[in-house]
């Protein structure tokens, strides 16, 4: 090769290297197309063609792309961004889902311990009724577990059912201990008189109040964590607009058509495209921040009378106090039962010792100190500390994708949507829908219905977490807001230490309702604390 011919070849090489518009071969494009498994390579051109039928990756010169390749590239671009979103959120999703499982497991273990304590109470102190009481105890704590985990059960209903079933046993074994078992019909009559005779005093209402106050925040907390997973799943599978799909294709794969398989988009260009595509997702940011703050505030407030561990593990003591109250008032209750149910016809039997004498056995039932490392409080604290790191997740997602994965580093040549340049010269817009009005790369025409729906759910759970909505003990999905008169609410006096029960009839009596949130802000103590807010 002579000097003149060598010089001409060098000039041509420099020209093609600088203009980067007319590839001389499509071999590299074919290799990358096959390597990334974008589609079959049989129909791919070996040499550049005119590409007159291209819709997005248009070029003034020849190209290595066909219309079918362009369609495959568009699918690949959408899959790529979805994969990046899922990868970016994977640690957050794992954090929440792992803790949902851990909290549920801890709750279930706690409920089993509380059930065992209550059964032990009957076996040691009220031996004669232990076998008969076991079924009622099991049903009580099954309902407690269902309530915490989100089932539509009423605290007032299942606590009252327990004490209803307990009264015939107490009457048969403690108030009239010298007789054999009463008949089924007579036991049913006694059961039905319990709410009128009030043999257990204030203790059933006290149990309703304690269980409701302590377990409702935990229930909302778990419900909020499950919603957090739903938010991430929704944004991981975002539905992209036609304009976004075209912009992603143009940014990620159109340079391949010109042989620029190693080219990356300019930072400003990438930000405009991704911020445009994720504009609706960015609208989640303020609600997500509030969500994390609200979870932290509720977690910090779960102590004292709102400590579910303390309430459940000491529930057996409350049951014992209720039984003792009934036994002390036994003579009076006997007269009242005789008036309402008549005298039972039963055979005499050997009287057992007075359970009052066995009350000392309760000493062995004292709840052992809890392992701090395994407590719900320590789990919540550790979880919140980790979740706080993701408080701005949706605000910085587009920037994270461009900086970490998609865009070219500063100072390097980059793709601007049409050619390889030194820098991107168009305006770079901010995050959110309003900012996209000036986006030169992606037109954002409206809001995404799925994102709007998930934002509404976040608003709803944030109101629950903050006590701005009025939850019912039995249902967290039926929420009443505001301060007006609501059908089915309770009015009148209600002791802070008790649960509140309505005086109406029908369905409204099935669910314990209050006229104010079950917790409210108490600035004189903590910045946010769950406190009773009964009328």
């Amino acid at each position: 090769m002579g000097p003149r011919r060598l010089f001409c070849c060098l000039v041509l090489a420099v020209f093609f290297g600088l203009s980067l518009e007319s590839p001389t071969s499509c071999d590299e494009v074919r290799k990358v197309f096959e390597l990334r498994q974008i589609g079959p390579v049989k129909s791919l051109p070996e040499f550049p063609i005119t590409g007159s039928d291209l819709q997005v990756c248009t070029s003034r010169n020849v190209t290595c792309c066909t219309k079918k390749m362009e369609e495959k590239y568009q699918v690949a671009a959408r899959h790529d961004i979805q994969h990046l979103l899922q990868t970016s959120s994977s640690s957050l999703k794992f954090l929440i889902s792992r803790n949902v499982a851990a909290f549920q497991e801890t709750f279930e273990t706690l409920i089993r311990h509380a059930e065992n304590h209550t059964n032990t109470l009957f076996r040691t102190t009220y031996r004669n009724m232990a076998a008969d009481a076991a079924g009622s105890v099991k049903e009580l704590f099954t309902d407690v577990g269902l309530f915490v985990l989100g089932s539509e059960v009423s605290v007032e209903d299942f606590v009252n059912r327990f004490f209803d079933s307990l009264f015939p046993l107490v009457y048969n074994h403690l108030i009239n201990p010298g007789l054999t078992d009463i008949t089924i019909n007579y036991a049913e009559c006694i059961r039905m008189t319990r709410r009128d005779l009030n043999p257990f005093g204030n203790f059933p209402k006290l149990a309703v109040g304690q269980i409701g106050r302590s377990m409702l925040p935990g229930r909302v907390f778990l419900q909020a964590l499950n919603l957090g997973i739903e938010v991430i799943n929704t944004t991981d599978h975002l539905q992209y607009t036609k304009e976004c799909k075209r912009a992603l294709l143009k940014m990620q794969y159109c340079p391949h058509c010109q042989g620029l398989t190693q080219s990356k988009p300019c930072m400003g260009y990438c930000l405009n495209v991704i911020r445009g595509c994720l504009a609706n997702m960015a609208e989640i940011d303020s609600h997500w921040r509030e969500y994390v703050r609200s979870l932290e505030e509720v977690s910090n407030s779960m102590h004292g009378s709102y400590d579910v561990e303390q309430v459940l593990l000491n529930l057996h003591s409350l049951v014992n106090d209720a039984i003792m109250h009934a036994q002390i008032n036994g003579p009076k209750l006997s007269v009242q039962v005789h008036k309402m149910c008549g005298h039972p016809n039963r055979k005499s039997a050997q009287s057992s010792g007075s359970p009052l004498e066995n009350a000392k056995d309760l000493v062995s039932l004292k709840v052992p100190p809890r392992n701090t490392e395994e407590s719900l409080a320590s789990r919540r604290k550790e979880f919140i500390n980790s979740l706080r790191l993701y408080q701005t997740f949706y605000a910085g997602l587009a920037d994270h994708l461009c900086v970490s994965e998609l865009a070219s580093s500063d100072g390097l040549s980059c793709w601007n949507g049409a050619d390889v340049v030194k820098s991107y010269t168009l305006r770079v817009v901010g995050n959110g829908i309003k900012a996209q009005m000036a986006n030169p790369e992606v037109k954002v025409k409206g809001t995404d219905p799925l994102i709007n729906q998930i934002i509404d759910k976040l608003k709803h759970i944030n109101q629950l977490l903050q006590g701005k909505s009025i939850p019912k003990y039995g249902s967290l999905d039926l929420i009443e807001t505001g301060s007006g008169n609501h059908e089915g609410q309770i009015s009148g006096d209600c002791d802070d230490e008790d649960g509140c029960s309505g005086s109406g009839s029908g369905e409204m009596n099935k669910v314990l309702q209050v006229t104010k949130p079950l917790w409210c802000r108490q600035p004189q103590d903590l910045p946010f604390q769950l406190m009773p807010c009964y009328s």
Side-chain angles (χ1 to χ4, degrees):
M1 181 182 297
R4 183 176 181 82
R5 187 175 179 185
L6 177 62
F7 175 78
C8 291
C9 290
L10 289 174
V11 169
L12 288 173
V14 170
F15 173 78
F16 283 122
L18 292 178
S19 70
L20 298 172
E21 292 183 350
S22 302
T24 57
S25 171
C26 296
D27 288 345
E28 185 65 24
V29 177
R30 291 168 60 89
K31 289 178 183 178
V32 174
F33 196 88
E34 184 176 21
L35 182 65
R36 296 192 182 183
Q37 298 181 332
I38 295 173
V41 296
K42 292 181 180 179
S43 59
L44 267 61
E46 295 184 6
F47 298 98
I49 57 177
T50 59
S52 58
D53 58 347
L54 297 180
Q55 301 295 312
V56 179
C57 299
T58 56
S59 173
R60 296 187 299 271
N61 299 300
V62 291
T63 176
C64 283
C65 283
T66 64
K67 185 177 180 180
K68 286 188 175 181
M69 285 178 65
E70 194 178 50
E71 292 171 355
K72 293 291 185 181
Y73 276 141
Q74 187 168 86
V75 173
R78 188 174 74 252
H79 286 169
D80 287 350
I81 195 68
Q82 187 176 59
H83 175 72
L84 287 177
L85 286 174
Q86 292 173 354
T87 301
S88 298
S89 66
S90 60
S91 58
L92 172 58
K93 185 175 179 179
F94 177 73
L95 171 68
I96 298 178
S97 58
R98 180 188 63 190
N99 278 277
V100 167
F103 286 132
Q104 287 181 349
E105 182 181 356
T106 304
F107 269 125
E108 289 166 2
T109 301
L110 173 62
I111 290 167
R112 283 199 305 272
H113 287 331
E115 181 179 350
N116 289 339
H117 287 323
T118 307
N119 281 324
T120 302
L121 163 69
F122 284 101
R123 287 195 298 268
T124 58
T125 308
Y126 305 106
R127 298 183 183 93
N128 291 343
M129 51 192 287
D132 293 332
S136 298
V137 171
K138 183 176 183 60
E139 182 181 3
L140 171 65
F141 285 100
T142 297
D143 286 333
V144 167
L146 290 173
F147 178 76
V148 172
L149 298 179
S151 293
E152 295 304 319
V153 294
S154 163
V155 174
E156 185 182 34
D157 279 354
F158 67 69
V159 169
N160 276 325
R161 276 200 307 272
F162 171 74
F163 282 103
D164 286 348
S165 64
L166 188 61
F167 184 36
L169 302 181
V170 171
Y171 185 84
N172 186 47
H173 293 285
L174 303 183
I175 296 175
N176 287 294
L179 301 174
T180 56
D181 289 344
I182 55 179
T183 64
I184 294 177
N185 290 338
Y186 196 80
E188 178 63 16
C189 180
I190 296 174
R191 188 190 70 80
M192 294 181 67
T193 65
R194 202 275 301 177
R195 301 190 196 191
D196 292 326
L197 300 184
N198 196 25
F200 300 115
N202 206 40
F203 293 106
K205 293 179 69 177
L206 188 62
V208 171
Q210 287 185 359
I211 293 174
R213 281 196 301 269
S214 65
M215 303 198 75
L216 186 57
R219 173 180 166 124
V220 176
F221 191 83
L222 275 177
Q223 188 184 37
L225 296 194
N226 282 306
L227 177 60
I229 296 173
E230 183 181 348
V231 171
I232 298 167
N233 284 337
T234 301
T235 54
D236 276 354
H237 299 88
L238 189 68
Q239 297 299 311
Y240 301 102
T241 63
K242 182 178 179 180
E243 290 78 8
C244 170
K245 292 175 184 178
R246 292 170 64 92
L248 289 172
L249 165 62
K250 186 177 180 182
M251 181 183 79
Q252 292 180 260
Y253 287 106
C254 282
H256 288 219
C257 296
Q258 297 186 29
L260 308 174
T261 55
Q262 302 301 317
S263 177
K264 283 191 170 186
C266 303
M267 181 62 70
Y269 175 47
C270 179
L271 289 174
N272 276 341
V273 172
I274 303 301
R275 285 175 177 175
C277 287
L278 304 187
N280 278 277
M281 195 184 298
E283 298 297 316
I284 297 175
D285 172 54
S286 61
H287 308 288
W288 181 260
R289 290 172 188 254
E290 186 178 3
Y291 166 80
V292 175
R293 287 194 302 268
S294 300
L295 279 173
E296 181 175 8
E297 290 169 348
V298 168
S299 177
N300 291 339
S301 68
M302 293 184 199
H303 57 80
S305 62
Y306 294 96
D307 185 345
V308 66
E309 291 176 282
Q310 177 178 313
V311 169
L312 286 184
L313 293 179
N314 288 287
L315 191 58
H316 68 280
S317 295
L318 189 149
V319 171
N320 181 66
D321 291 341
I323 294 173
M324 298 281 282
H325 183 277
Q327 190 175 8
I328 290 170
N329 292 281
K332 178 182 176 181
L333 289 171
S334 290
V335 172
Q336 292 173 323
V337 169
H338 292 163
K339 287 182 179 179
M340 301 182 74
C341 298
H343 292 269
N345 183 15
R346 303 186 298 184
K347 295 180 180 180
S348 297
Q350 184 71 30
S351 175
S352 61
S354 171
L356 286 170
E357 298 174 1
N358 296 330
K360 62 181 181 294
D361 291 336
L362 277 176
V363 174
S364 63
L365 291 177
K366 286 184 178 178
V367 179
R370 285 173 287 171
N371 186 334
T372 306
E373 295 300 317
E374 297 177 356
S375 70
L376 277 169
S378 63
R379 284 185 181 276
R380 286 195 307 267
K381 183 177 181 180
E382 181 182 354
F383 166 68
I384 292 297
N385 286 340
S386 299
L387 184 64
R388 200 183 295 119
L389 300 176
Y390 295 92
Q391 193 164 5
T392 60
F393 176 75
Y394 285 104
L397 188 54
D399 299 52
H400 169 74
L401 294 182
C402 287
V403 172
S404 303
E405 302 289 344
L406 296 172
S408 175
S409 301
D410 291 341
L412 299 178
S413 297
C414 55
W415 173 255
N416 69 354
D419 206 343
V420 171
V421 296
K422 288 294 184 182
S423 63
Y424 184 71
T425 57
L426 300 182
R427 175 183 176 180
V428 179
V429 301
N431 285 298
I433 293 177
K434 290 183 179 179
Q436 307 314 307
M437 293 179 64
N439 194 325
E441 308 297 345
V442 184
K443 292 182 180 179
V444 179
K445 297 180 179 179
T447 59
D448 186 315
L450 286 177
I451 296 296
N452 287 343
Q453 186 179 37
I454 211 69
I455 287 175
D456 287 341
K457 289 184 178 182
L458 278 172
K459 289 179 179 178
H460 174 78
I461 203 69
N462 288 340
Q463 287 183 333
L464 278 176
L465 290 168
Q466 297 166 12
K468 294 178 182 178
S469 285
I470 304 175
K472 304 173 183 179
Y473 276 152
S475 173
L476 291 181
D477 294 324
L478 304 176
I479 303 303
E480 298 169 313
T481 57
S483 57
N485 294 324
H486 300 290
E487 184 181 358
Q489 286 183 339
I490 302 166
S491 60
D493 296 331
C494 183
D495 192 330
D496 279 0
E497 291 300 313
D498 303 331
C500 301
S501 59
S503 57
S505 61
E507 292 298 316
M508 291 305 171
N509 269 342
K510 292 185 178 180
V511 180
L512 180 65
Q513 303 175 48
V514 291
T515 55
K516 293 182 181 178
L518 292 177
W519 57 85
C520 60
R521 294 185 181 273
Q522 301 289 337
Q524 68 271 24
D525 188 357
L526 295 172
F528 181 90
Q529 181 179 2
L530 295 183
M531 296 292 288
C533 300
Y534 297 122
S535 296

PDB file of all heavy atoms in Angstrom, residues 487-512:
ATOM      1  N   GLU A 487     -73.388   7.766  61.221  1.00  0.00           N
ATOM      2  CA  GLU A 487     -74.301   6.704  61.597  1.00  0.00           C
ATOM      3  C   GLU A 487     -73.556   5.578  62.285  1.00  0.00           C
ATOM      4  O   GLU A 487     -72.532   5.117  61.844  1.00  0.00           O
ATOM      5  CB  GLU A 487     -75.002   6.150  60.341  1.00  0.00           C
ATOM      6  CG  GLU A 487     -76.040   5.095  60.653  1.00  0.00           C
ATOM      7  CD  GLU A 487     -76.684   4.569  59.393  1.00  0.00           C
ATOM      8  OE1 GLU A 487     -76.321   5.063  58.309  1.00  0.00           O
ATOM      9  OE2 GLU A 487     -77.542   3.690  59.489  1.00  0.00           O
ATOM     10  N   GLY A 488     -74.093   5.142  63.431  1.00  0.00           N
ATOM     11  CA  GLY A 488     -73.512   4.009  64.113  1.00  0.00           C
ATOM     12  C   GLY A 488     -72.457   4.387  65.126  1.00  0.00           C
ATOM     13  O   GLY A 488     -71.899   3.535  65.797  1.00  0.00           O
ATOM     14  N   GLN A 489     -72.147   5.674  65.308  1.00  0.00           N
ATOM     15  CA  GLN A 489     -71.162   6.067  66.290  1.00  0.00           C
ATOM     16  C   GLN A 489     -71.781   6.087  67.677  1.00  0.00           C
ATOM     17  O   GLN A 489     -72.985   6.104  67.857  1.00  0.00           O
ATOM     18  CB  GLN A 489     -70.595   7.449  65.973  1.00  0.00           C
ATOM     19  CG  GLN A 489     -69.641   7.443  64.791  1.00  0.00           C
ATOM     20  CD  GLN A 489     -69.056   8.791  64.564  1.00  0.00           C
ATOM     21  OE1 GLN A 489     -69.609   9.792  65.009  1.00  0.00           O
ATOM     22  NE2 GLN A 489     -67.953   8.858  63.878  1.00  0.00           N
ATOM     23  N   ILE A 490     -70.922   6.116  68.673  1.00  0.00           N
ATOM     24  CA  ILE A 490     -71.359   6.109  70.057  1.00  0.00           C
ATOM     25  C   ILE A 490     -71.298   7.526  70.595  1.00  0.00           C
ATOM     26  O   ILE A 490     -70.377   8.270  70.315  1.00  0.00           O
ATOM     27  CB  ILE A 490     -70.431   5.218  70.905  1.00  0.00           C
ATOM     28  CG1 ILE A 490     -70.435   3.818  70.324  1.00  0.00           C
ATOM     29  CG2 ILE A 490     -70.849   5.201  72.345  1.00  0.00           C
ATOM     30  CD1 ILE A 490     -69.326   2.984  70.877  1.00  0.00           C
ATOM     31  N   SER A 491     -72.221   7.891  71.378  1.00  0.00           N
ATOM     32  CA  SER A 491     -72.159   9.167  72.061  1.00  0.00           C
ATOM     33  C   SER A 491     -72.307   8.913  73.538  1.00  0.00           C
ATOM     34  O   SER A 491     -72.714   7.856  73.982  1.00  0.00           O
ATOM     35  CB  SER A 491     -73.273  10.097  71.562  1.00  0.00           C
ATOM     36  OG  SER A 491     -74.532   9.508  71.798  1.00  0.00           O
ATOM     37  N   GLY A 492     -71.962   9.897  74.328  1.00  0.00           N
ATOM     38  CA  GLY A 492     -72.108   9.734  75.759  1.00  0.00           C
ATOM     39  C   GLY A 492     -70.790   9.416  76.419  1.00  0.00           C
ATOM     40  O   GLY A 492     -69.728   9.481  75.828  1.00  0.00           O
ATOM     41  N   ASP A 493     -70.853   9.083  77.711  1.00  0.00           N
ATOM     42  CA  ASP A 493     -69.661   8.859  78.500  1.00  0.00           C
ATOM     43  C   ASP A 493     -69.072   7.498  78.237  1.00  0.00           C
ATOM     44  O   ASP A 493     -69.770   6.535  78.013  1.00  0.00           O
ATOM     45  CB  ASP A 493     -69.987   8.998  79.999  1.00  0.00           C
ATOM     46  CG  ASP A 493     -70.435  10.416  80.328  1.00  0.00           C
ATOM     47  OD1 ASP A 493     -69.988  11.340  79.639  1.00  0.00           O
ATOM     48  OD2 ASP A 493     -71.217  10.563  81.257  1.00  0.00           O
ATOM     49  N   CYS A 494     -67.759   7.425  78.330  1.00  0.00           N
ATOM     50  CA  CYS A 494     -67.067   6.148  78.190  1.00  0.00           C
ATOM     51  C   CYS A 494     -65.762   6.232  78.940  1.00  0.00           C
ATOM     52  O   CYS A 494     -64.968   7.138  78.710  1.00  0.00           O
ATOM     53  CB  CYS A 494     -66.818   5.834  76.717  1.00  0.00           C
ATOM     54  SG  CYS A 494     -66.042   4.236  76.484  1.00  0.00           S
ATOM     55  N   ASP A 495     -65.540   5.317  79.855  1.00  0.00           N
ATOM     56  CA  ASP A 495     -64.346   5.312  80.663  1.00  0.00           C
ATOM     57  C   ASP A 495     -63.127   5.033  79.805  1.00  0.00           C
ATOM     58  O   ASP A 495     -63.138   4.137  78.975  1.00  0.00           O
ATOM     59  CB  ASP A 495     -64.482   4.227  81.738  1.00  0.00           C
ATOM     60  CG  ASP A 495     -63.405   4.352  82.805  1.00  0.00           C
ATOM     61  OD1 ASP A 495     -62.307   4.824  82.488  1.00  0.00           O
ATOM     62  OD2 ASP A 495     -63.689   3.973  83.934  1.00  0.00           O
ATOM     63  N   ASP A 496     -62.016   5.793  80.027  1.00  0.00           N
ATOM     64  CA  ASP A 496     -60.793   5.574  79.273  1.00  0.00           C
ATOM     65  C   ASP A 496     -60.252   4.179  79.453  1.00  0.00           C
ATOM     66  O   ASP A 496     -59.584   3.638  78.581  1.00  0.00           O
ATOM     67  CB  ASP A 496     -59.710   6.583  79.707  1.00  0.00           C
ATOM     68  CG  ASP A 496     -59.923   7.918  79.019  1.00  0.00           C
ATOM     69  OD1 ASP A 496     -60.878   8.043  78.238  1.00  0.00           O
ATOM     70  OD2 ASP A 496     -59.119   8.811  79.272  1.00  0.00           O
ATOM     71  N   GLU A 497     -60.485   3.589  80.601  1.00  0.00           N
ATOM     72  CA  GLU A 497     -59.953   2.266  80.870  1.00  0.00           C
ATOM     73  C   GLU A 497     -60.800   1.151  80.287  1.00  0.00           C
ATOM     74  O   GLU A 497     -60.437  -0.006  80.310  1.00  0.00           O
ATOM     75  CB  GLU A 497     -59.820   2.059  82.384  1.00  0.00           C
ATOM     76  CG  GLU A 497     -58.738   2.918  83.022  1.00  0.00           C
ATOM     77  CD  GLU A 497     -57.371   2.604  82.429  1.00  0.00           C
ATOM     78  OE1 GLU A 497     -57.054   1.412  82.311  1.00  0.00           O
ATOM     79  OE2 GLU A 497     -56.654   3.551  82.077  1.00  0.00           O
ATOM     80  N   ASP A 498     -61.973   1.525  79.778  1.00  0.00           N
ATOM     81  CA  ASP A 498     -62.879   0.510  79.260  1.00  0.00           C
ATOM     82  C   ASP A 498     -62.958   0.575  77.760  1.00  0.00           C
ATOM     83  O   ASP A 498     -62.593   1.562  77.141  1.00  0.00           O
ATOM     84  CB  ASP A 498     -64.300   0.716  79.826  1.00  0.00           C
ATOM     85  CG  ASP A 498     -64.306   0.705  81.346  1.00  0.00           C
ATOM     86  OD1 ASP A 498     -63.433   0.031  81.931  1.00  0.00           O
ATOM     87  OD2 ASP A 498     -65.172   1.346  81.905  1.00  0.00           O
ATOM     88  N   GLY A 499     -63.525  -0.452  77.184  1.00  0.00           N
ATOM     89  CA  GLY A 499     -63.946  -0.366  75.796  1.00  0.00           C
ATOM     90  C   GLY A 499     -65.271   0.367  75.790  1.00  0.00           C
ATOM     91  O   GLY A 499     -65.890   0.616  76.816  1.00  0.00           O
ATOM     92  N   CYS A 500     -65.740   0.759  74.624  1.00  0.00           N
ATOM     93  CA  CYS A 500     -67.004   1.459  74.510  1.00  0.00           C
ATOM     94  C   CYS A 500     -67.980   0.598  73.742  1.00  0.00           C
ATOM     95  O   CYS A 500     -67.633   0.069  72.709  1.00  0.00           O
ATOM     96  CB  CYS A 500     -66.810   2.788  73.766  1.00  0.00           C
ATOM     97  SG  CYS A 500     -65.644   3.883  74.596  1.00  0.00           S
ATOM     98  N   SER A 501     -69.166   0.465  74.219  1.00  0.00           N
ATOM     99  CA  SER A 501     -70.165  -0.330  73.509  1.00  0.00           C
ATOM    100  C   SER A 501     -71.384   0.520  73.255  1.00  0.00           C
ATOM    101  O   SER A 501     -71.751   1.358  74.072  1.00  0.00           O
ATOM    102  CB  SER A 501     -70.555  -1.575  74.323  1.00  0.00           C
ATOM    103  OG  SER A 501     -71.064  -1.201  75.577  1.00  0.00           O
ATOM    104  N   GLY A 502     -71.986   0.333  72.092  1.00  0.00           N
ATOM    105  CA  GLY A 502     -73.122   1.151  71.698  1.00  0.00           C
ATOM    106  C   GLY A 502     -74.417   0.666  72.302  1.00  0.00           C
ATOM    107  O   GLY A 502     -74.534  -0.448  72.796  1.00  0.00           O
ATOM    108  N   SER A 503     -75.412   1.510  72.231  1.00  0.00           N
ATOM    109  CA  SER A 503     -76.724   1.153  72.755  1.00  0.00           C
ATOM    110  C   SER A 503     -77.713   0.878  71.648  1.00  0.00           C
ATOM    111  O   SER A 503     -78.874   0.653  71.888  1.00  0.00           O
ATOM    112  CB  SER A 503     -77.246   2.304  73.626  1.00  0.00           C
ATOM    113  OG  SER A 503     -77.298   3.490  72.877  1.00  0.00           O
ATOM    114  N   GLY A 504     -77.224   0.915  70.383  1.00  0.00           N
ATOM    115  CA  GLY A 504     -78.123   0.687  69.255  1.00  0.00           C
ATOM    116  C   GLY A 504     -78.395  -0.788  69.072  1.00  0.00           C
ATOM    117  O   GLY A 504     -78.161  -1.608  69.939  1.00  0.00           O
ATOM    118  N   SER A 505     -78.924  -1.107  67.895  1.00  0.00           N
ATOM    119  CA  SER A 505     -79.265  -2.503  67.630  1.00  0.00           C
ATOM    120  C   SER A 505     -78.764  -2.894  66.256  1.00  0.00           C
ATOM    121  O   SER A 505     -78.277  -2.085  65.505  1.00  0.00           O
ATOM    122  CB  SER A 505     -80.790  -2.683  67.692  1.00  0.00           C
ATOM    123  OG  SER A 505     -81.414  -1.880  66.726  1.00  0.00           O
ATOM    124  N   GLY A 506     -78.916  -4.182  65.936  1.00  0.00           N
ATOM    125  CA  GLY A 506     -78.564  -4.669  64.598  1.00  0.00           C
ATOM    126  C   GLY A 506     -77.072  -4.690  64.384  1.00  0.00           C
ATOM    127  O   GLY A 506     -76.283  -4.913  65.291  1.00  0.00           O
ATOM    128  N   GLU A 507     -76.675  -4.400  63.109  1.00  0.00           N
ATOM    129  CA  GLU A 507     -75.284  -4.532  62.714  1.00  0.00           C
ATOM    130  C   GLU A 507     -74.381  -3.578  63.474  1.00  0.00           C
ATOM    131  O   GLU A 507     -73.205  -3.847  63.672  1.00  0.00           O
ATOM    132  CB  GLU A 507     -75.134  -4.283  61.200  1.00  0.00           C
ATOM    133  CG  GLU A 507     -75.763  -5.354  60.342  1.00  0.00           C
ATOM    134  CD  GLU A 507     -75.115  -6.707  60.567  1.00  0.00           C
ATOM    135  OE1 GLU A 507     -73.878  -6.769  60.640  1.00  0.00           O
ATOM    136  OE2 GLU A 507     -75.846  -7.695  60.689  1.00  0.00           O
ATOM    137  N   MET A 508     -74.921  -2.432  63.891  1.00  0.00           N
ATOM    138  CA  MET A 508     -74.071  -1.442  64.524  1.00  0.00           C
ATOM    139  C   MET A 508     -73.521  -1.924  65.859  1.00  0.00           C
ATOM    140  O   MET A 508     -72.536  -1.402  66.347  1.00  0.00           O
ATOM    141  CB  MET A 508     -74.846  -0.117  64.730  1.00  0.00           C
ATOM    142  CG  MET A 508     -75.144   0.596  63.437  1.00  0.00           C
ATOM    143  SD  MET A 508     -73.624   0.894  62.496  1.00  0.00           S
ATOM    144  CE  MET A 508     -74.318   1.463  60.959  1.00  0.00           C
ATOM    145  N   ASN A 509     -74.170  -2.872  66.482  1.00  0.00           N
ATOM    146  CA  ASN A 509     -73.673  -3.389  67.743  1.00  0.00           C
ATOM    147  C   ASN A 509     -72.584  -4.425  67.553  1.00  0.00           C
ATOM    148  O   ASN A 509     -71.960  -4.852  68.507  1.00  0.00           O
ATOM    149  CB  ASN A 509     -74.811  -4.015  68.557  1.00  0.00           C
ATOM    150  CG  ASN A 509     -75.463  -3.008  69.488  1.00  0.00           C
ATOM    151  OD1 ASN A 509     -74.876  -1.973  69.764  1.00  0.00           O
ATOM    152  ND2 ASN A 509     -76.648  -3.320  69.947  1.00  0.00           N
ATOM    153  N   LYS A 510     -72.356  -4.858  66.307  1.00  0.00           N
ATOM    154  CA  LYS A 510     -71.377  -5.904  66.058  1.00  0.00           C
ATOM    155  C   LYS A 510     -69.955  -5.372  66.035  1.00  0.00           C
ATOM    156  O   LYS A 510     -69.013  -6.128  66.089  1.00  0.00           O
ATOM    157  CB  LYS A 510     -71.671  -6.601  64.724  1.00  0.00           C
ATOM    158  CG  LYS A 510     -72.961  -7.413  64.755  1.00  0.00           C
ATOM    159  CD  LYS A 510     -73.130  -8.177  63.462  1.00  0.00           C
ATOM    160  CE  LYS A 510     -74.385  -9.033  63.499  1.00  0.00           C
ATOM    161  NZ  LYS A 510     -74.554  -9.784  62.260  1.00  0.00           N
ATOM    162  N   VAL A 511     -69.806  -4.057  65.896  1.00  0.00           N
ATOM    163  CA  VAL A 511     -68.482  -3.477  65.774  1.00  0.00           C
ATOM    164  C   VAL A 511     -68.335  -2.365  66.784  1.00  0.00           C
ATOM    165  O   VAL A 511     -69.190  -1.497  66.891  1.00  0.00           O
ATOM    166  CB  VAL A 511     -68.256  -2.902  64.345  1.00  0.00           C
ATOM    167  CG1 VAL A 511     -66.869  -2.305  64.241  1.00  0.00           C
ATOM    168  CG2 VAL A 511     -68.439  -3.993  63.304  1.00  0.00           C
ATOM    169  N   LEU A 512     -67.257  -2.381  67.545  1.00  0.00           N
ATOM    170  CA  LEU A 512     -67.007  -1.322  68.501  1.00  0.00           C
ATOM    171  C   LEU A 512     -66.517  -0.100  67.742  1.00  0.00           C
ATOM    172  O   LEU A 512     -65.554  -0.154  67.018  1.00  0.00           O
ATOM    173  CB  LEU A 512     -65.942  -1.761  69.501  1.00  0.00           C
ATOM    174  CG  LEU A 512     -65.599  -0.712  70.552  1.00  0.00           C
ATOM    175  CD1 LEU A 512     -66.819  -0.474  71.431  1.00  0.00           C
ATOM    176  CD2 LEU A 512     -64.423  -1.155  71.391  1.00  0.00           C
TER     177      LEU A 512
END
